[in-house]
Amino acid sequence: MLLEVEDLCVNYGHIEAIRNISFSVAEGEITTLIGANGAGKTTTLKTISGLRKVREGKVVFDGTDITHLPPYARVKMGISQSPEGRGCFPGMTVRENLDMGAFVRRDRKSAAYREDIERVFQLFPRLQERFNQSAGTMSGGEQQMLAIGRALMARPRLVLLDEPSMGLAPRLIQQIFSIITEINQQGTTVLLVEQNAAQALRRAHQAHVLETGEIVRSGTGAELSGDESVKAAYLGGDL
Amino acid sequence: MDLSTLLNTPQLLTVSDLYHSFAAYTITGLALGAIYALVALGYTMVYGVLQLINFAHSEVFMYGTFAMAWVVTYFHGTASSGQSLGSTLGLLGVCLVAAMITSALVALLVERVAYRPLIRRGSPKLVILISAIGASFSLAEVMGLRDRIAGWFGLDGKLSNYVSQARNVYSSPITINPHKVFELGGYGVTDVDLTVIFAALLMMVALDVFVNRSRLGRGIRAVAQDPEAAALMGVNSTRVIRTTFLIGGIMAGVAATLYMIRIGSTRNDAGFIIGIKAFTAAVMGGIGNLRGALVGGLFLGVMENWGSAVFGTQWKDVFTFVLLVVILLIRPTGILGESLGKARA
């Protein structure tokens, strides 16, 4: 397993944001966490990246306990994240944002670096057109593409995607999800957090349902898509 | 002069004075403003990254002025002496390095003791602000009690040139005779004026290039714009904060040297007024904005001189602070009014 989360508890002040969560992410797969607003999905990703303090439990990446490592050390190990609400640097151009994504790399002048920029442009041709535009002036969809592209620039082994479809037009949502599949097929392991359960389950190898800070159901994407209670709670009118 | 005599003075506003010596007031104002600008950088950089005012920055500057004065005392004793150009320049070089190192070390100390433990603990901003004020008073008092502190180690006799009468004005006994370089509007612009202005501009350009072009500079901008996203990019925020204090300290050290060249003396509370003025300059220019610090500093220096020419020297601070209020009423974010992070190359 590339990532293992064991009995994780995280508090937000006195409120328990997540309780005794355990799951793992297999190398080369797409794993998804679905659930309603406030279920603890974003907290889980932030904790894996090191932005939230762990009260109990462990986070293990590629066999190493990273529970108490600072965020930047985790990026160096190969975990990068496209945060919720995109988190692009508004005062930086697309180019500078992509450079920031590669902050932990020391090979800015190398051919490998240029290849990675090319790869991001292949996935998101829009970014090439907007190369020297300041990120703060771009549309929500473009910023989402930039945030994902930027996360890939670190050459991560595991990329965490927090609500990549949030606030996007339906046509763009389809596009973003097929790009996520493409990223995965190119060899990057993906941990995807989504409210758009139908799409996420269709793309994911493994899936977990979070409810008020706990995992209530786990299975393959196909299994959960067919699960009656998941259908009722999260897929509703979609199917 | 009290208010009634002032009001009865027939020539209350001596505009003709400013008119006839316009170049003199402006050039010396720019030189003064350049010093404000360099100190303002320290306030604006820390604000950009932490959204906190570093009240101890005035002391970072003050320690730099003492470093310069001590170096001069070490080489020349306490007697004033005029030197040949070559040896004066060499001495100034040593002073500059000593002041930069001293101010930088004090700035790092403030970060380590007054900021980092509280930031790590996630303390509210008000707590950190108070801690910085405490650091400011402590540093000023330590300098003002340096005779006693030397006494603890029995060194007060040996170091008396450096520490005696710690609460009095301490002069740097170097005589730099300004030489006229060229004349502008009836004012002989001196090499000291030019050195101060160009040294400040040079430091500003260097800093601008560093922040916009280097990897660590980009990290600083990233933390200023979005600390969480910066952490997700692998930016070590502790290192960025430390670098920010370090740069502010180096700039304050340069400012301290230039200040001593012009003013020639300092005191343990010398940081206070300069600190307030530099902070004002930073706010006027747009706090968090590097170029704003430059614009704000030069603007404040020139306005202060023009104000003192028109209203009289006693009124210059009243004039400049009224001006600050007016500017903030019209442009609440300052003259340039963008953040450090958003400042574009």
Side-chain angles (χ1 to χ4, degrees):
Chain A
M1 286 295 161
L2 186 59
L3 179 81
E4 283 161 280
V5 173
E6 294 169 26
D7 299 317
L8 198 66
C9 304
V10 176
N11 280 24
Y12 232 128
H14 293 291
I15 303 156
E16 288 183 308
I18 50 181
R19 274 192 307 272
N20 290 314
I21 284 189
S22 298
F23 68 93
S24 55
V25 176
E27 184 142 30
E29 291 193 346
I30 298 179
T31 303
T32 186
L33 303 175
I34 59 171
N37 246 338
K41 307 186 299 292
T42 294
T43 305
T44 307
L45 286 199
K46 284 189 170 175
T47 309
I48 294 169
S49 279
L51 296 176
R52 292 287 173 269
K53 280 217 173 73
V54 172
R55 185 166 63 82
E56 254 175 68
K58 273 204 296 190
V59 180
V60 179
F61 181 71
D62 198 22
T64 313
D65 186 342
I66 61 166
T67 316
H68 300 292
L69 283 187
Y72 66 89
R74 304 183 195 208
V75 181
K76 277 186 193 154
M77 291 179 74
I79 303 177
S80 84
Q81 183 180 153
S82 159
E84 189 187 23
R86 293 149 200 150
C88 294
F89 299 108
M92 294 189 190
T93 61
V94 168
R95 178 206 191 97
E96 288 175 311
N97 265 284
L98 292 176
D99 279 350
M100 277 312 299
F103 191 79
V104 291
R105 293 168 58 174
R106 301 278 184 168
D107 60 346
R108 287 225 302 139
K109 302 258 151 42
S110 71
Y113 185 84
R114 278 193 298 276
E115 262 170 39
D116 288 353
I117 292 255
E118 282 306 316
R119 178 181 166 219
V120 170
F121 286 161
Q122 266 166 21
L123 292 169
F124 306 106
R126 288 294 277 180
L127 294 183
Q128 191 160 17
E129 295 163 30
R130 300 265 184 258
F131 200 45
N132 287 311
Q133 191 174 330
S134 155
T137 64
M138 301 198 311
S139 74
E142 287 165 347
Q143 289 193 34
Q144 187 62 66
M145 295 173 191
L146 179 56
I148 297 173
R150 187 181 63 175
L152 294 178
M153 285 305 293
R155 284 213 166 175
R157 297 180 62 194
L158 170 67
V159 63
L160 315 175
L161 303 176
D162 197 350
E163 306 271 11
S165 77
M166 193 168 66
L168 297 187
R171 185 178 46 84
L172 266 180
I173 292 181
Q174 277 295 342
Q175 201 187 333
I176 286 275
F177 276 106
S178 48
I179 287 170
I180 291 169
T181 304
E182 199 178 329
I183 289 168
N184 177 244
Q185 282 163 357
Q186 288 173 5
T188 311
T189 309
V190 177
L191 176 56
L192 170 68
V193 149
E194 259 302 333
Q195 281 193 56
N196 188 329
Q199 281 285 349
L201 291 177
R202 190 178 311 154
R203 306 282 175 176
H205 302 93
Q206 287 292 321
H208 307 275
V209 182
L210 255 104
E211 253 169 42
T212 56
E214 287 173 294
I215 290 183
V216 293
R217 225 168 222 86
S218 300
T220 65
E223 277 167 16
L224 290 192
S225 297
D227 186 291
E228 286 306 320
S229 64
V230 172
K231 264 190 200 169
Y234 300 105
L235 301 175
D238 254 354
L239 291 184
Chain B
M1 195 191 294
D2 62 34
L3 195 62
S4 61
T5 53
L6 188 78
L7 290 172
N8 291 328
T9 312
Q11 279 184 302
L12 179 61
L13 302 181
T14 51
V15 180
S16 67
D17 198 19
L18 176 61
Y19 180 76
H20 290 299
S21 308
F22 184 75
Y25 282 114
T26 308
I27 303 272
T28 50
L30 284 174
L32 182 66
I35 295 170
Y36 290 156
L38 283 174
V39 181
L41 280 177
Y43 286 102
T44 228
M45 288 208 52
V46 169
Y47 184 85
V49 167
L50 291 174
Q51 279 80 51
L52 285 169
I53 308 300
N54 179 13
F55 280 107
H57 191 59
S58 45
E59 270 50 62
V60 170
F61 167 82
M62 181 270 287
Y63 274 71
T65 62
F66 272 95
M68 159 132 185
W70 285 335
V71 167
V72 176
T73 302
Y74 179 78
F75 283 109
H76 286 304
T78 49
S80 291
S81 57
Q83 297 295 320
S84 70
L85 182 66
S87 68
T88 305
L89 283 182
L91 182 61
L92 285 181
V94 177
C95 288
L96 181 66
V97 172
M100 283 163 77
I101 292 174
T102 305
S103 289
L105 287 178
V106 174
L108 289 177
L109 181 76
V110 168
E111 189 270 332
R112 186 71 191 81
V113 174
Y115 281 81
R116 203 188 303 173
L118 296 172
I119 292 170
R120 187 168 292 168
R121 204 163 302 186
S123 303
K125 294 209 157 147
L126 264 181
V127 172
I128 304 178
L129 218 58
I130 299 298
S131 151
I133 292 175
S136 169
F137 279 117
S138 310
L139 286 168
E141 284 308 303
V142 163
M143 186 53 89
L145 292 167
R146 63 187 186 280
D147 46 359
R148 311 258 183 100
I149 293 168
W152 296 345
F153 304 100
L155 292 169
D156 44 345
K158 211 171 160 193
L159 296 177
S160 71
N161 277 351
Y162 305 94
V163 300
S164 67
Q165 298 187 313
R167 304 194 87 79
N168 291 353
V169 168
Y170 189 81
S171 299
S172 130
I174 185 173
T175 313
I176 298 169
N177 295 317
H179 298 283
K180 193 170 92 173
V181 181
F182 60 90
E183 196 161 299
L184 185 76
Y187 172 68
V189 181
T190 67
D191 45 6
V192 172
D193 293 332
L194 292 177
T195 306
V196 171
I197 294 170
F198 279 105
L201 288 177
L202 193 71
M203 294 308 287
M204 292 280 181
V205 171
L207 180 59
D208 210 81
V209 169
F210 171 76
V211 167
N212 283 307
R213 300 268 176 269
S214 76
R215 179 171 175 275
L216 192 53
R218 232 172 318 123
I220 291 175
R221 289 173 61 208
V223 172
Q225 288 180 30
D226 188 336
E228 266 199 358
L232 292 178
M233 302 299 112
V235 180
N236 180 345
S237 65
T238 308
R239 189 156 164 243
V240 160
I241 293 168
R242 201 195 306 140
T243 308
T244 309
F245 275 84
L246 177 71
I247 293 171
I250 291 172
M251 296 292 164
V254 177
T257 313
L258 301 177
Y259 173 87
M260 290 301 280
I261 290 175
R262 283 189 69 86
I263 312 288
S265 65
T266 182
R267 206 167 73 173
N268 71 311
D269 59 359
F272 181 73
I273 279 288
I274 291 281
I276 295 261
K277 294 280 175 66
F279 175 56
T280 306
V283 173
M284 264 187 182
I287 190 134
N289 183 327
L290 294 182
R291 290 168 194 186
L294 177 65
V295 171
L298 295 178
F299 184 75
L300 183 70
V302 170
M303 281 303 141
E304 209 176 286
N305 265 11
W306 287 358
S308 63
V310 175
F311 299 98
T313 318
Q314 311 91 311
W315 290 88
K316 71 171 189 197
D317 288 350
V318 177
F319 174 72
T320 41
F321 283 98
V322 167
L323 199 67
L324 170 72
V325 172
V326 171
I327 286 175
L328 292 184
L329 281 175
I330 301 166
R331 278 189 71 91
T333 52
I335 300 170
L336 295 190
E338 286 174 322
S339 71
L340 169 70
K342 287 173 190 165
R344 292 285 314 115

